Amino acid sequence: MEPITHFLTGACIGRAGLNRKTAYATLAATLAAEAADIDILWGLRGPVDELQHHRGITHTFIAVPVVAGVVVGAVWLLHRWSESRRKRKLAAMTFRPGEPVPHRLQSKTVHWGWLYASAFIAALSHLLLDWTNNYGLRPFFPFNPRWYAGSFMFIAEPVLWALFLAALILPALFGLADREIGVRRSAFRGRGWAIFALCGMVALWCWRWAEHAQGEAMLLNTQVTSGPVKRVALEPYPVNPYLWHAIVETPGFYQTAEIDTRTGSIDTDPQRDVLFKPTDTPAIEAAKRTHLGQVYLDWGTWAVVRDVGQEPVAGMDPPQLPPNRPWTTIEFTDLRFGYSFRHAAGARSPAALNGWVYIVDNRDDAGQAMGGREQK
């Protein structure tokens, strides 16, 4: 999932009761819930390296305890700095006999075991959330390089945003109202709301999981294609749990469809929604052997590789060659993200997840790019 959902999930995990066990629980859970995405820094080395390492080692079960430990270490440094600052302020103040220390200057009670547990649970939530969408992750890497994807949640789900934001904001608003009428302030407001939001997320998962299974059954029990079916996939849309983008593979072509599990309709047109499998050429085979090709085919479970001719790529200049030197552009796409594919045969999936390689003389790599960025 995108960072907003991870941060909000971590905040709700902390406020669901762990913040009653130790100070900084909500902070640690919020940071640990998103910490695994530190692997985006690989993007500094180029878009292909980013694709290769995104949802890599930091998104594995063996990394969870490490991620939790790093977050707790960061909170420890913050706590040391906060305590030092608090003591300096106390030393500069003069108190009358029996006068209590102001609440804001009282030492925070930190139970480091509970703090680590908070960060550990939140770090696990990152893996679970990322598994639910169709990008997937490799939780057993490096022992098992297989990608796993639930494919029942869209990568950005406004329903979850609304649920979590309500759980985090409404208690504060109710607190303001309580103070207006003189109600005693609760030290840990919002626990019930946070638990409700987390349970709501699980309920939404179950609902979408059931609709995904129903859509897949509809697809398998309906004669959608003119050829034997090798495999099928259903990709989620945001907000609407009944609407799915379906992909069907046959020996000779791919066909897409839009499925509505509420109405039981399957919308597909063999003249519009069919993509014949490209014929392998020496240039395509050369592109598959490049760094981009190997990384993309490892990740792209529905990858399609096509020779699109001498088509310049955004963010990368075409090869500067003599007229007698042939070159071509090889495009890598993944049909899982081709939600607009049905509108026109051959339409392309989002550019951010497309890859391109310039091949010269049907064998030489002359440049690689993804999403408008060139791999240097």
Side-chain angles (χ1 to χ4, degrees):
M1 305 294 284
E2 34 60 51
I4 295 174
T5 302
H6 288 302
F7 279 127
L8 294 177
T9 302
C12 284
I13 287 173
R15 295 187 65 174
L18 291 168
N19 60 340
R20 303 187 178 203
K21 300 294 184 180
T22 177
Y24 302 114
T26 300
L27 173 63
T30 302
L31 294 177
E34 172 56 14
D37 281 342
I38 192 69
D39 59 12
I40 63 172
L41 293 177
W42 280 101
L44 298 175
R45 296 186 56 179
V48 179
D49 284 319
E50 181 178 5
L51 178 65
Q52 179 181 7
H53 296 285
H54 182 48
R55 298 198 182 181
I57 192 64
T58 61
H59 289 67
T60 64
F61 288 123
I62 63 172
V64 166
V66 178
V67 168
V70 170
V71 169
V72 170
V75 173
W76 178 80
L77 291 175
L78 174 65
H79 178 66
R80 288 288 302 270
W81 173 82
S82 178
E83 281 293 288
S84 175
R85 188 165 174 265
R86 181 185 69 84
K87 289 176 181 178
R88 286 198 303 271
K89 287 186 176 181
L90 280 176
M93 297 177 67
T94 302
F95 294 95
R96 293 189 298 271
E99 181 182 359
V101 175
H103 180 75
R104 61 186 177 83
L105 293 178
Q106 293 178 5
S107 178
K108 290 183 171 63
T109 302
V110 183
H111 297 286
W112 297 102
W114 276 110
L115 194 67
Y116 183 83
S118 303
F120 188 91
I121 294 170
L124 278 175
S125 78
H126 190 111
L127 272 61
L128 182 58
L129 283 164
D130 280 356
W131 169 75
T132 63
N133 60 62
N134 53 345
Y135 191 102
L137 77 164
R138 294 172 288 178
F140 305 106
F141 185 83
F143 309 108
N144 177 0
R146 178 184 170 187
W147 287 85
Y148 294 85
S151 297
F152 56 87
M153 293 292 295
F154 196 72
I155 196 167
E157 179 51 75
V159 174
L160 290 182
W161 298 346
L163 191 63
F164 288 135
L165 286 173
L168 296 172
I169 293 174
L170 289 179
L173 295 179
F174 291 146
L176 291 175
D178 288 347
R179 284 196 290 275
E180 287 293 325
I181 61 176
V183 176
R184 183 178 178 182
R185 181 186 178 192
S186 172
F188 301 103
R189 182 181 296 274
R191 179 186 184 186
W193 284 95
I195 294 174
F196 173 79
L198 293 171
C199 291
M201 177 176 67
V202 174
L204 181 61
W205 287 349
C206 294
W207 184 10
R208 280 187 163 272
W209 178 276
E211 296 300 330
H212 183 277
Q214 180 179 341
E216 191 171 79
M218 287 171 54
L219 191 62
L220 292 173
N221 293 327
T222 304
Q223 185 67 34
V224 174
T225 70
S226 59
V229 175
K230 294 180 62 177
R231 58 174 177 155
V232 300
L234 261 68
E235 312 303 340
Y237 280 96
V239 182
N240 189 346
Y242 300 111
L243 186 61
W244 302 87
H245 178 71
I247 315 168
V248 180
E249 181 184 6
T250 73
F253 60 87
Y254 300 99
Q255 186 167 339
T256 60
E258 301 300 303
I259 293 182
D260 190 324
T261 55
R262 183 177 63 85
T263 63
S265 65
I266 300 179
D267 180 15
T268 186
D269 184 344
Q271 301 300 319
R272 178 192 64 193
D273 297 330
V274 167
L275 173 65
F276 289 97
K277 292 184 176 180
T279 302
D280 280 345
T281 64
I284 288 178
E285 289 301 315
K288 290 180 178 179
R289 292 191 294 269
T290 64
H291 180 43
L292 183 148
Q294 293 176 4
V295 171
Y296 203 98
L297 294 176
D298 173 68
W299 164 75
T301 54
W302 285 87
V304 175
V305 188
R306 295 182 285 183
D307 187 333
V308 296
Q310 291 188 347
E311 180 177 315
V313 175
M316 184 170 62
D317 294 330
Q320 303 301 313
L321 300 168
N324 62 337
R325 295 286 305 280
W327 67 275
T328 190
T329 303
I330 306 301
E331 180 186 55
F332 292 78
T333 62
D334 192 305
L335 297 180
R336 291 177 296 172
F337 308 98
Y339 291 100
S340 62
F341 175 76
R342 65 185 294 267
H343 299 301
R348 294 174 191 167
S349 50
L353 293 174
N354 280 11
W356 295 271
V357 180
Y358 290 143
I359 295 295
V360 177
D361 296 331
N362 287 327
R363 65 176 185 273
D364 297 328
D365 172 13
Q368 304 172 24
M370 287 193 68
R373 296 173 56 205
E374 184 176 3
Q375 177 69 34
K376 299 295 186 179

